[in-house]
Amino acid sequence: MLLPRFAPPRSFHAELKRRTADYFTTTGKAQTGNGALLGKALLLVGALLVLYVHLVFFTPPTPWALAECVLMGTVLALIGFNVMHDGAHGSFSRHGWLNKTAAFTLNVLGGSSYMWDAKHNTVHHMYTNIDGVDDDLDIRPWMRLTPDQPRHRAHRFQHLYFGFFYCLLYISWILFTDYQKYFSRKIGSVALKPMSTNDHLIFWGFKILNLGLYVALPIYALGWAGWLVGFLLTGAVAGFVLSIVFQLAHTVEQTAFPVPHATTRKLEDEWAIHQLRTTANFATDNRLISWLVGGLNFQVEHHLFPKISHVHYPNLSKIIRETCLEFGLPYQEYPKMRSAVASHVAFLRQMGRA
């Protein structure tokens, strides 16, 4: 498949990069994370370890165990947002080994850092919201997320049942889709780059370790029923939290789904403007949400500067907003998380009926 081609870069992106570079030069700050981010990472990882050990080895009463499973699923997602995500982009720390360690947490949590790098860093960030290329848009046949995907009768109700499939994200990710990508050698329609011997060993080594940590050991300690309830509840919470945060960035009423020319595969916009049209922020004034989701409510900033840590996004947003205004370009955002969720639900309803 011939991949889409963006229009040549124009003055907007160059000016935006110049102003951003000036900000870091003037403030003397590194573009990577800081001590507060490292502290948050240690807090979240420590919380996960405590919850796992308490659930598996100390068997709390059922009400407490269920509550801890909900909390554990949430912490899994928060580690993904705050630790793994920045690490995978090389922005968690100025130290390369810390970035690799942060990115590697995904392997411990059940996923594959290799597949994530190809799916997210390479494909999604380059070809955001382009149907047939951006694998994040493909939940077919269960849901319709772009105007160019086929519409089925059941999609009329997807704005009502979407939560069920979002809850399945994490479980299907670690038990199915990673393997699908591994054996098909593709991320959607994009060929996966060749894996080295070390990549293969890491993939299979951690998949086996995960089965031991999240299946075999809990079954041995708790029995089949206890394990199944805990695994499904933890996975469902993690999947829903991960899904809803990422969906609010790209599948809402304001965002676009550009279609390349059928023959030339050219797109109208340069890459930076494409990111503006396909991405939206939400609740950027809410410090608690920003802390919890690792700055992923600043998706415009993240998509324009993925190698800059999310700790800088509140300050970068002012620069990007002003530059967009000067160039007459959109800066899309929802003031509250609830308004972004409402827009996502309205978008799903529209896609199911139009």
Side-chain angles (χ1 to χ4, degrees), residues 167-228:
C167 285
L168 294 179
L169 169 74
Y170 175 74
I171 295 173
S172 64
W173 178 0
I174 65 174
L175 295 181
F176 176 69
T177 56
D178 270 349
Y179 296 103
Q180 182 186 48
K181 292 174 175 58
Y182 180 89
F183 288 111
S184 69
R185 297 290 191 268
K186 292 193 301 182
I187 305 292
S189 60
V190 181
L192 191 65
K193 64 182 180 180
M195 298 175 70
S196 68
T197 301
N198 193 49
D199 293 328
H200 287 290
L201 291 174
I202 290 173
F203 180 88
W204 285 110
F206 274 93
K207 287 299 184 183
I208 293 170
L209 175 64
N210 297 151
L211 289 175
L213 287 174
Y214 305 130
V215 180
L217 185 57
I219 289 175
Y220 175 78
L222 306 171
W224 278 96
W227 164 76
L228 185 61

Side-chain angles (χ1 to χ4, degrees), residues 15-197:
E15 178 62 16
L16 189 59
K17 289 191 290 185
R18 185 191 68 78
R19 295 183 185 187
T20 301
D22 285 348
Y23 164 77
F24 285 105
T25 300
T26 302
T27 60
K29 295 179 179 179
Q31 296 187 7
T32 51
N34 51 25
L37 178 56
L38 179 60
K40 179 163 62 167
L42 294 174
L43 173 66
L44 292 172
V45 172
L48 181 65
L49 288 172
V50 169
L51 287 167
Y52 177 87
V53 169
H54 192 245
L55 281 166
V56 174
F57 297 106
F58 293 90
T59 317
T62 300
W64 278 108
L66 294 175
E68 287 185 17
C69 286
V70 171
L71 183 57
M72 185 172 174
T74 304
V75 172
L76 279 170
L78 298 190
I79 291 174
F81 295 148
N82 291 277
V83 185
M84 183 277 292
H85 188 249
D86 271 23
H89 281 293
S91 64
F92 181 82
S93 168
R94 68 180 70 189
H95 303 291
W97 68 271
L98 262 181
N99 284 321
K100 291 180 180 178
T101 301
F104 217 73
T105 57
L106 181 57
N107 296 305
V108 181
L109 299 182
S112 165
S113 58
Y114 185 91
M115 298 302 168
W116 175 263
D117 178 68
K119 170 186 169 66
H120 182 77
N121 295 3
T122 302
V123 178
H124 171 68
H125 270 272
M126 178 60 71
Y127 304 109
T128 312
N129 273 20
I130 300 178
D131 186 39
V133 184
D134 186 355
D135 190 55
D136 285 3
L137 299 173
D138 190 4
I139 317 180
R140 294 176 291 182
W142 317 111
M143 295 181 66
R144 182 176 185 247
L145 293 183
T146 80
D148 296 301
Q149 291 178 350
R151 182 169 61 89
H152 303 300
R153 185 172 298 179
H155 292 155
R156 291 179 298 168
F157 308 104
Q158 67 177 7
H159 63 290
L160 301 176
Y161 66 67
F162 70 93
F164 173 77
F165 287 103
Y166 289 1
C167 285
L168 294 179
L169 169 74
Y170 175 74
I171 295 173
S172 64
W173 178 0
I174 65 174
L175 295 181
F176 176 69
T177 56
D178 270 349
Y179 296 103
Q180 182 186 48
K181 292 174 175 58
Y182 180 89
F183 288 111
S184 69
R185 297 290 191 268
K186 292 193 301 182
I187 305 292
S189 60
V190 181
L192 191 65
K193 64 182 180 180
M195 298 175 70
S196 68
T197 301

